[in-house]
């Protein structure tokens, strides 16, 4: 066969240049056909297949837009301070400090140090979850028959492990994650109700308030009642912008948020960053 030799394998690989799949990164990002920002500002453009994952380090001020293309995506998100992975997304503090268990526009994604890793600047979906985390190998193996990353039903935590390893992180570095595009609400008796998606085209835009490492796993929500493993494509676009500044309505929205921004600004100033 053509790939049985090193030369044959090389020629086969080189022949693929220029070919594109529906789900893959666009390199360079500026080649994306319809950027949501000024020309030349796009830094990340990718479509993540259902059951797939991705990762990227983003500079402070970068805006990141996630879009559920078909209504069946579920973007599980983890954030780490780029040069300090021990400062990471804390879902409990994100909920507790803001007195709200529901994610949406003007919410802040907080670290365990009381600082802002990212803020939510726009949201057309409203169906998100800060309570359940992502799926696990054991759960997916019981439910779908397999949860390994190479299977047809990979678990979110297994995909996070792979993305983490590519950023010098291990399984012990992975905290509970947030989920976008598949909603969960809390009933009066304290039990959880899965509310699903609003349908195709829902999007959420985040703004990095520090340099952050982003890990994304696009897998079904753990409470999704469908017996089949259903996961649609996720569009990921990021572009250069500016971080939230004093006087911005988001900075001044609540006393708790203002304190978190001040904590962040003070820390960055002490490092000569802001």
């Amino acid at each position: 066969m053509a790939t049985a030799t090193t030369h044959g394998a090389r020629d086969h690989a080189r022949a693929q240049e220029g070919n594109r799949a529906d789900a893959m990164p666009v390199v360079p990002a500026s080649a994306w056909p319809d950027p949501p920002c000024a020309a030349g500002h796009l830094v990340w453009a990718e479509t993540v297949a259902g059951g797939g994952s991705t990762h990227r380090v983003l500079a402070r001020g970068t805006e990141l837009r996630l879009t559920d293309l078909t209504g069946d995506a579920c973007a599980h998100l983890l954030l780490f301070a780029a040069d300090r992975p021990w400062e990471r997304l804390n879902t409990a503090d994100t909920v507790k400090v803001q007195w709200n268990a529901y994610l949406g526009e003007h919410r802040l994604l907080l670290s365990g140090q009381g600082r802002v890793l990212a803020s939510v600047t726009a949201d057309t979906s409203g169906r998100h979850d800060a309570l359940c985390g992502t799926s696990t190998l054991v759960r997916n193996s019981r439910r779908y028959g397999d949860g390994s990353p190479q299977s047809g039903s990979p678990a979110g935590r297994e995909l996070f492990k792979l993305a983490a390893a590519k950023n010098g992180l291990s399984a012990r570095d992975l905290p509970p994650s947030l989920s976008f595009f598949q909603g969960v609400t809390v009933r009066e008796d304290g039990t959880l109700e899965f509310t699903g998606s609003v349908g195709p085209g829902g999007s959420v835009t985040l703004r990095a308030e520090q340099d952050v490492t982003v890990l994304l796993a696009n897998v079904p929500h753990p409470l999704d009642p469908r017996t089949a493993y259903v996961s649609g494509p996720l569009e990921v676009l990021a572009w250069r912008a500016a971080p939230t500044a004093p006087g911005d309505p988001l900075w001044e929205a609540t006393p708790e948020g203002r304190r978190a921004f001040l904590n962040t600004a003070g820390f960055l100033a002490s490092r000569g960053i802001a």
Side-chain angles (χ1 to χ4, degrees):
M1 58 168 45
T3 58
T5 67
T6 302
H7 290 294
R10 179 198 62 190
D11 293 342
H12 174 76
R14 288 180 174 176
Q16 309 309 308
E17 184 178 18
N19 293 341
R20 285 199 50 78
D22 290 337
M24 64 182 296
V26 171
V27 180
S30 58
W32 186 263
D34 186 23
C37 56
H41 283 211
L42 202 64
V43 297
W44 187 11
E46 182 172 355
T47 303
V48 183
S53 63
T54 189
H55 58 94
R56 188 67 61 98
V57 177
L58 298 180
R60 178 172 176 256
T62 303
E63 295 201 343
L64 170 65
R65 189 181 76 187
L66 309 175
T67 302
D68 179 2
L69 296 177
T70 64
D72 285 321
C74 187
H76 301 263
L77 173 75
L78 285 176
L79 297 173
F80 301 81
D83 61 343
R84 308 178 317 282
W86 54 88
E87 181 169 4
R88 62 196 67 168
L89 177 68
N90 188 308
T91 57
D93 283 358
T94 292
V95 168
K96 177 180 64 178
V97 170
Q98 298 177 94
W99 306 95
N100 197 313
Y102 300 109
L103 300 170
E105 190 170 344
H106 299 152
R107 296 285 176 241
L108 309 179
L109 308 186
L110 304 177
S111 76
Q113 280 71 30
R115 297 189 281 258
V116 188
L117 291 171
S119 53
V120 182
T121 62
D123 178 22
T124 68
S125 169
R127 299 289 180 88
H128 313 306
D129 172 38
L131 302 173
C132 295
T134 192
S135 52
T136 63
L137 176 63
V138 170
R139 184 182 181 89
N140 275 30
S141 295
R142 289 175 177 170
R143 185 170 185 182
Y144 305 114
D146 198 351
S148 62
Q150 296 80 20
S151 71
S153 50
R157 183 166 172 81
E158 297 306 298
L159 295 177
F160 274 146
K161 289 179 184 178
L162 295 180
K166 294 177 181 179
N167 289 276
L169 305 171
S170 68
R172 65 179 295 178
D173 295 306
L174 299 177
S177 57
L178 301 175
S179 305
F180 294 98
F181 306 123
Q182 300 292 334
V184 170
T185 59
V186 182
R187 302 186 183 97
E188 288 294 326
D189 63 0
T191 59
L192 300 178
E193 178 180 0
F194 181 73
T195 57
S197 167
V198 296
S203 69
V204 61
T205 303
L206 311 177
R207 178 186 294 149
E209 305 293 357
Q210 303 186 45
D211 294 351
V212 293
T213 300
V214 179
L215 307 186
L216 284 166
N218 181 25
V219 299
H221 190 279
L223 295 187
D224 192 324
R226 291 174 289 190
T227 56
Y229 187 96
V230 180
S231 182
L234 173 71
E235 181 184 275
V236 181
L237 298 176
W239 57 92
R240 291 193 297 272
T244 305
D248 186 292
L250 181 57
W251 185 295
E252 305 294 344
T254 66
E256 298 81 14
R258 184 164 56 251
R259 179 69 178 183
F261 274 119
L262 288 171
N263 287 342
T264 308
F267 173 75
L268 295 176
S270 70
R271 303 187 69 202
I273 296 173

